Amino acid sequence: MERFKQILNRLLFPRLAVVLISVPVAAALLIYTFAFAGEDSPIAYPAYVFSAYAMVITCAWIIKNAKSSKSGLDSAIHNIPLAHRYLTDVSFKLHVSLYLSLGLNVLYAVIKFVYGVWYHSVWFGTLAVYYFFLAVMRFGLLRHANQNGFGKNIAAELKQYRMCGLVLMLMNVAFSGVVVLVVRKNEGFQYAGYLIYVMAMYAFYNVITAVINVIKYRKYNSPVMSAAKVINLAAALVSMLSLETAMLAQFDNGNNPETFRQIMTGSTGGCVCAIVLGIAIYMVIRSTKQLRKLKTES
C-alpha cells in the first residue's frame, strides 16, 4: 500500500521539468490529431489520455504551489502604491470602477449605435440608448462621489439612489416594448467564429460578480455605492439577453422552428425586464422610506 502511494504521488506530483515538457507535447499531439491525423486515427486516444494527464499534473502543481506563490504575489502587488490603495481603499476602488464602467458604457453605446445605423437594426439602436442612459446614471453617481464622497451625505445619496431607480423604471418600460418587437421580428445578432464563447464567459462572469457586489456593498451604508452595483447588474442582465439571441442565431442548424427562438428570447427578455423592474421599484420605495425617516428625525 505504501509503495502504491509513492507511485501515485510521483505520477501526480512529478518534477517541474516534467510538467513544463508535458504541456507543449500534449498541445502538439492534439494539434496533430485534429489538424492532420483525424479524430478516429490510432494516435487520437493516446493523445487524449496524455493531454488529460498533462492537465491533471499541471493543476496539481498549481494547487500545491499556490499558497507560497500567492503570498509572494500579494506582497509584490502591495508594494505598488496604486495597487495597494486599490486593494485597501474601498472608496478609491469604487471611484476607479465608476470611471472604467462609464468609459465602457460610452464605448458600448457608440458601437451599438453604429451597428444600429449600419444594419438598420432596432435591437442595436435600443441597446445603444440603454447603455447611454446607464452611462448618464453612472456619470451622475461619479459626479456626486467626487463632490461628496461615499457615506457622508446620506440624504443626497438616497436622492441619487431614488433617481437611478426611477430612470431604470422608465428605461425598463421602453426596453420591454423593444423585446416584444424583437421577438416578433425574430431579430438578434451574431459573433464571428469562436468569439461567442469568449463573450459567453464574459457575460456569465459579469452577472455573477454583479450579484455578489450588490450584496457585498450593502454593508458600507452608502446608497451611491449600492446604486452603482445595481447599474452593473442591470447591464449584466441585458448582456445575457444579447448573448442568448446571438447563441440562438449561431447554433441554429435549421431544425429549430422560428417559434422556438421567439419563445426563448421572449422568456429571457421577460425575466430580465421583471428583475430590473423589481429592483427599480425596490430602490424607489426604500429610498423614499429612508428619506422620510431622516426628515422626521431631523
Side-chain angles (χ1 to χ4, degrees), residues 27-290:
L29 285 172
L30 288 177
I31 292 171
Y32 176 77
T33 300
F34 290 118
F36 303 104
E39 297 182 21
D40 298 324
S41 63
I43 198 175
Y45 294 102
Y48 297 153
V49 173
F50 186 80
S51 299
Y53 174 68
M55 183 182 70
V56 168
I57 61 175
T58 302
C59 292
W61 187 89
I62 292 172
I63 293 170
K64 183 179 179 181
N65 295 275
K67 190 173 181 180
S68 58
S69 300
K70 185 177 183 300
S71 60
L73 182 63
D74 284 347
S75 61
I77 291 174
H78 280 281
N79 285 333
I80 304 172
L82 280 177
H84 175 76
R85 187 182 177 189
Y86 181 82
L87 294 172
T88 56
D89 188 341
V90 176
S91 176
F92 177 73
K93 184 176 183 178
L94 194 61
H95 268 92
V96 173
S97 175
L98 280 170
Y99 275 112
L100 289 176
S101 56
L102 175 61
L104 286 174
N105 260 175
V106 173
L107 179 63
Y108 275 15
V110 171
I111 291 173
K112 301 299 183 186
F113 177 76
V114 171
Y115 281 178
V117 173
W118 184 266
Y119 295 108
H120 304 286
S121 171
V122 176
W123 177 241
F124 279 120
T126 305
L127 287 179
V129 175
Y130 196 89
Y131 282 114
F132 172 76
F133 276 105
L134 290 179
V136 170
M137 285 192 288
R138 281 192 169 113
F139 177 77
L141 295 177
L142 185 59
R143 185 169 175 269
H144 172 87
N146 287 334
Q147 292 177 351
N148 304 287
F150 296 104
K152 295 178 180 179
N153 189 343
I154 299 299
E157 290 198 22
L158 285 170
K159 290 177 182 177
Q160 289 283 336
Y161 188 80
R162 183 169 60 182
M163 181 57 67
C164 288
L166 290 170
V167 174
L168 278 177
M169 288 174 65
L170 294 174
M171 289 168 57
N172 198 62
V173 172
F175 189 72
S176 301
V178 175
V179 168
V180 173
L181 182 62
V182 167
V183 169
R184 285 184 178 179
K185 295 179 67 175
N186 202 22
E187 192 174 358
F189 57 95
Q190 292 182 337
Y191 293 107
Y194 293 102
L195 182 61
I196 191 168
Y197 297 107
V198 178
M199 297 307 297
M201 288 187 290
Y202 178 71
F204 279 104
Y205 170 79
N206 269 352
V207 171
I208 293 170
T209 53
V211 172
I212 292 172
N213 285 333
V214 165
I215 299 170
K216 177 181 176 182
Y217 278 81
R218 291 183 65 184
K219 66 181 181 181
Y220 294 108
N221 194 31
S222 171
V224 166
M225 280 190 183
S226 298
K229 299 310 172 183
V230 167
I231 293 171
N232 287 348
L233 179 58
L237 290 173
V238 172
S239 70
M240 287 296 293
L241 178 59
S242 302
L243 174 66
E244 184 188 82
T245 62
M247 292 186 76
L248 288 171
Q250 186 95 355
F251 300 109
D252 185 14
N253 54 11
N255 296 327
N256 295 327
E258 185 175 310
T259 53
F260 173 76
R261 290 179 60 180
Q262 292 175 325
I263 290 171
M264 292 297 296
T265 305
S267 301
T268 304
C271 289
V272 169
C273 291
I275 292 170
V276 174
L277 180 61
I279 293 172
I281 292 173
Y282 170 79
M283 291 173 72
V284 173
I285 294 174
R286 179 173 178 266
S287 57
T288 302
K289 286 182 177 180
Q290 291 291 327

